[in-house]
Amino acid sequence: MPLSPRTQTPRAAHPPRRARPLRRRTAAALLASAVSVALLAATAPPTALGLGDRLFPTLGNPGYDVTAYHLDFTYSGDNRKPLAAVTTIDAWTTTDLDRINLDFAHGTVESVEVDGEPAAFTGVGEDLVVTPEEPLTAGSWTRITVRHTSDPVSADHQDGGWVRTADGLAMANQADAAHLVFPCNDHPSDKARFTIRVTAPDDYTVVANGLPTGRHRNAGTTTWTYRTKHPMATELAQVSIGRSSVLHREGPGGLPVRDVVPAKDRDVLEPWLAKTPDQIAWMESKVGPYPFETYGLLMAQASTGFELETQTLSLFEKDLFTEPGYPKWYVESVMVHELSHQWFGDSVSPRSWSDVWLNEGHATWYETLYAQEKADRPMETRMKAAYGASDTWRAAGGPPARPKAPAPGQKISIFRPSVYDGASLVLYALRQEIGHRAFDRLERAWVERHRDSTATTADFVRLASDIAGRDLGGFFDVWLYGAKTPPMPGHPDWKSTAPGKPAGTGTREGTGKSAATGKPVGTGKSAVSGSAGSGKQAGAGTRVMPGTHGASGPHEASGPRGASGKSPVTVGGAG
């Protein structure tokens, strides 16, 4: 079904439950009910559902609004073995429900309860379909508890979820992989608060989204608990399990900053980590107060080739900071790209995946602005190069606000250059059109108005028009949805190379290979103009060096990423 705006109303932590129908019924009523259920089961078998997202139509589920997740994992110390897990979901129903569909596709379900009562369940496609003992009525609060395993070994054609590091695990759930880790309503339009509890051997350190609320030792294991203070999309969940050091410092206004690094590398990584407070202050000077309760970097000891804006704890590949070939300005720009996502993408989340240009375009914008102000790398130079490649990007990946659907088996291929530098180019054109002051007011108003919520492209167009004092619908229509790049305001001399002709970007669009060397460049999700576009799975290529592909900038990619009654059922393929 098509997506519709969600009203996010503050709710009590433990709202009163709507009364259930009385269990005492006459024999006749019970018989009639049993016949009705039998007829319903015969005529309407469990099916996979979805919210109708244009890019991921089967992702998410209708009929309820999740308010909270409680995730409980037990880690054995071997990152090849499934974790024992219990996922508890608190939700409000938005319609009468005979069944509840959850996204879950990579684990063994042992049991399901709805409001403390056993419920039947079955796996259909990538859904876990739960049938409660009694139907749920619209407007009621319900709690769903699923006991399951969470498999860190990826199955075929399932990218994302757990990332196995040299000493443990981390998560990379974007765009549609949280349901490979835990049952959920796996769509950014349904944000919720999270409590995450992990039990691991004593020699491991666990860090997750939000702030710690407890740590308890018991017979060789330690249980760590974290809780978010703000709602979060499932794709932004993060859990780090490893032999790690946690380094603490203070950010602007006393903000607690904590970084997670391999214990043996803490000294060599400290100079990079020390930059974060000033970077937060810089972002606050541009768009307003940092939106969450904490921030920090998780430097994973893994060969991933990507960075990811997991909420309050951004995921980075450690080698980005230790590889001597990366210039200092480049690494810092990558850091700012992920930091800026905390405002654009995390606090203000896309209501549909077609709105992802709002995330990546803004993150690319601020990484570029930071490089201009701190490293004397002019934004105009990068934007002009992006303009030259823009028609090629639109032909290969679709215009910024209407990206082409992901390639089969390559779901992260929606992250093409058109939603990075192509989208940042739209913001540059907008600033040229309405002026610097109006643009700066727009940016601040956007993150303030939609904080802790979701928003659409139409919302952005409306707000920009209000601040500019004129209708900008026509301007945005051609820039966001046109097959061809419109003339750049203030730069009539800028030209965009026609698709199929050399664009100066150094890549053959759609192949992910360098036009100069024929070797792979980029891995599917890139903030480097022209550095990717193949939709390759994360880790399939190599990190692109700045200055080699026209409009150069940081690289970012997302990747490596049961059935009836009481009997266990395996949902999805085993790893």
Side-chain angles (χ1 to χ4, degrees):
M1 59 183 288
L3 294 174
S4 58
R6 294 175 60 243
T7 300
Q8 298 208 357
T9 305
R11 294 169 176 146
H14 298 286
R17 300 191 189 189
R18 178 166 294 189
R20 293 287 194 195
L22 293 175
R23 293 181 181 275
R24 292 188 177 182
R25 300 171 181 170
T26 65
L30 288 173
L31 178 60
S33 175
V35 171
S36 297
V37 171
L39 289 174
L40 178 64
T43 58
T47 58
L49 301 176
L51 290 176
D53 189 289
R54 189 181 67 84
L55 297 175
F56 298 100
T58 62
L59 204 61
N61 292 287
Y64 60 93
D65 178 5
V66 178
T67 62
Y69 290 95
H70 187 116
L71 309 181
D72 194 330
F73 298 105
T74 300
Y75 179 66
S76 67
D78 186 340
N79 66 5
R80 297 165 298 179
K81 293 183 177 179
L83 288 74
V86 180
T87 295
T88 302
I89 301 171
D90 289 339
W92 287 91
T93 58
T94 57
T95 188
D96 293 345
L97 291 174
D98 294 311
R99 298 188 180 106
I100 306 162
N101 280 52
L102 302 174
D103 297 306
F104 188 52
H106 192 47
T108 300
V109 178
E110 297 170 359
S111 67
V112 180
E113 293 179 357
V114 177
D115 294 329
E117 300 291 340
F121 57 93
T122 187
V124 182
E126 294 197 353
D127 279 14
L128 173 66
V129 184
V130 177
T131 304
E133 185 179 81
E134 298 171 351
L136 305 177
T137 57
S140 62
W141 178 81
T142 189
R143 171 167 288 173
I144 307 156
T145 303
V146 184
R147 288 173 173 80
H148 61 98
T149 62
S150 185
D151 195 340
V153 178
S154 297
D156 291 341
H157 309 299
Q158 289 182 330
D159 289 318
W162 289 113
V163 174
R164 290 189 293 156
T165 66
D167 60 350
L169 293 170
M171 282 188 193
N173 295 331
Q174 196 178 75
D176 69 331
H179 68 283
L180 303 182
V181 178
F182 57 94
C184 56
N185 202 26
D186 197 6
H187 193 273
S189 62
D190 193 1
K191 298 168 71 168
R193 285 177 171 81
F194 278 70
T195 299
I196 300 172
R197 185 170 67 178
V198 180
T199 300
D202 283 340
D203 54 340
Y204 285 86
T205 297
V206 176
V207 182
N209 310 93
L211 293 171
T213 60
R215 184 172 65 176
H216 304 284
R217 292 181 181 273
N218 182 28
T221 65
T222 301
T223 299
W224 310 69
T225 304
Y226 292 82
R227 184 170 292 120
T228 66
K229 289 188 175 181
H230 299 264
M232 179 171 72
T234 52
E235 50 118 355
L236 301 173
Q238 184 57 268
V239 174
S240 167
I241 306 172
R243 293 182 172 88
S244 309
S245 291
V246 182
L247 308 179
H248 297 273
R249 68 195 80 239
E250 192 173 278
L255 177 75
V257 177
R258 49 87 177 90
D259 302 297
V260 185
V261 302
K264 64 183 180 61
D265 298 309
R266 58 181 297 169
D267 291 339
V268 71
L269 295 172
E270 171 59 25
W272 292 110
L273 300 172
K275 298 178 183 296
T276 297
D278 286 343
Q279 291 173 344
I280 295 173
W282 182 85
M283 276 298 301
E284 289 188 330
S285 74
K286 303 301 181 185
V287 296
Y290 178 74
F292 299 123
E293 63 271 24
T294 185
Y295 185 64
L297 278 62
L298 164 58
M299 296 185 174
Q301 197 169 353
S303 181
T304 58
F306 67 82
E307 280 64 56
L308 186 62
E309 63 270 22
T310 40
Q311 190 163 309
T312 73
L313 186 61
S314 292
L315 175 65
F316 289 82
E317 183 183 14
K318 188 205 74 173
D319 286 355
L320 172 67
F321 302 91
T322 56
E323 168 56 55
Y326 299 129
K328 176 175 174 288
W329 72 266
Y330 169 79
V331 177
E332 291 185 17
S333 293
V334 177
M335 294 171 70
V336 170
H337 183 106
E338 304 308 326
L339 171 62
S340 63
H341 270 308
Q342 302 300 309
W343 285 263
F344 300 95
D346 293 10
S347 179
V348 184
S349 300
R351 197 165 297 157
S352 78
W353 277 110
S354 294
D355 299 314
V356 71
W357 77 274
L358 289 164
N359 301 15
E360 302 302 347
H362 277 102
T364 305
W365 174 267
Y366 287 103
E367 107 197 4
T368 307
L369 186 61
Y370 187 87
Q372 174 177 277
E373 294 188 6
K374 302 295 184 178
D376 195 28
R377 301 188 71 85
M379 174 179 281
E380 185 174 314
T381 300
R382 180 167 174 174
M383 293 298 103
K384 184 177 182 180
Y387 190 90
S390 181
D391 279 356
T392 297
W393 296 339
R394 288 171 184 250
R402 193 178 287 126
K404 292 183 179 179
Q410 299 178 351
K411 294 180 179 179
I412 63 171
S413 64
I414 65 168
F415 295 101
R416 301 177 177 98
S418 59
V419 302
Y420 284 85
D421 280 71
S424 185
L425 188 68
V426 175
L427 297 177
Y428 183 84
L430 176 62
R431 193 178 71 168
Q432 293 289 105
E433 179 74 15
I434 68 176
H436 287 231
R437 290 185 179 179
F439 181 84
D440 291 344
R441 290 199 306 273
L442 169 63
E443 295 293 275
R444 288 177 175 270
W446 176 251
V447 296
E448 181 180 358
R449 179 169 300 188
H450 298 288
R451 181 176 180 175
D452 285 342
S453 188
T454 64
T456 66
T457 297
D459 293 328
F460 190 78
V461 172
R462 252 189 319 271
L463 184 59
S465 298
D466 289 346
I467 288 177
R470 56 191 172 92
D471 184 4
L472 294 172
F475 169 87
F476 279 109
D477 189 58
V478 292
W479 274 98
L480 291 176
Y481 302 104
K484 299 292 184 181
T485 310
M488 175 60 71
H491 294 287
D493 57 314
W494 285 12
K495 305 296 181 185
S496 186
T497 305
K501 296 183 179 180
T505 64
T507 65
R508 293 196 299 270
E509 199 64 40
T511 65
K513 295 182 179 180
S514 165
T517 66
K519 295 181 178 180
V521 295
T523 59
K525 184 184 175 194
S526 175
V528 185
S529 297
S531 66
S534 64
K536 290 181 178 290
Q537 307 302 344
T542 57
R543 192 182 298 275
V544 180
M545 284 299 300
T548 60
H549 300 291
S552 53
H555 170 239
E556 179 194 52
S558 175
R561 290 220 291 190
S564 64
K566 299 179 181 179
S567 61
V569 59
T570 298
V571 179

